[in-house]
Amino acid sequence: MNDIVLDLDLGTPEEQALWEMAVDFFVDMLSSNDNSAGGDAPDMMVHTAFKPNGRISKKLIFQDRTWADAFMNFWEEQKMQAAAA
């Protein structure tokens, strides 16, 4: 099985804070469903890298493409909602 790695470059402190809230909410949302989706919650790892230019890179590592796609869709929705606010 291959890991699915989402490499996200977070540019601003606001985007970093939004990402942290999105990950927390995503995990809470899955946990509160009591696995009603018919399976286990995703195995997910986070790797943080600090770049020389001061930017932060986050890598989310999933073992299943379905969960990786679900998070990316959720993340894009969160960014759009934040931009509209």
Side-chain angles (χ1 to χ4, degrees):
M1 175 188 306
N2 293 332
D3 289 340
I4 292 66
V5 179
L6 305 177
D7 193 0
L8 306 169
D9 189 24
L10 305 175
T12 65
E14 293 81 14
E15 190 175 29
Q16 294 167 28
L18 178 63
W19 183 87
E20 290 171 11
M21 289 187 311
V23 169
D24 287 345
F25 189 77
F26 184 73
V27 170
D28 286 345
M29 184 176 62
L30 295 174
S31 299
S32 68
N33 284 341
D34 293 326
N35 296 325
S36 62
D40 293 332
D43 289 327
M44 181 173 76
M45 292 185 292
V46 177
H47 178 262
T48 302
F50 298 92
K51 297 186 175 185
N53 63 2
R55 294 177 73 108
I56 294 177
S57 174
K58 296 282 188 175
K59 290 184 182 182
L60 264 67
I61 304 161
F62 291 90
Q63 293 184 346
D64 185 290
R65 165 105 17 227
T66 304
W67 290 114
D69 291 343
F71 179 80
M72 279 308 295
N73 290 334
F74 182 75
W75 173 235
E76 292 300 325
E77 288 175 16
Q78 296 303 304
K79 289 194 306 185
M80 284 191 295
Q81 289 177 3

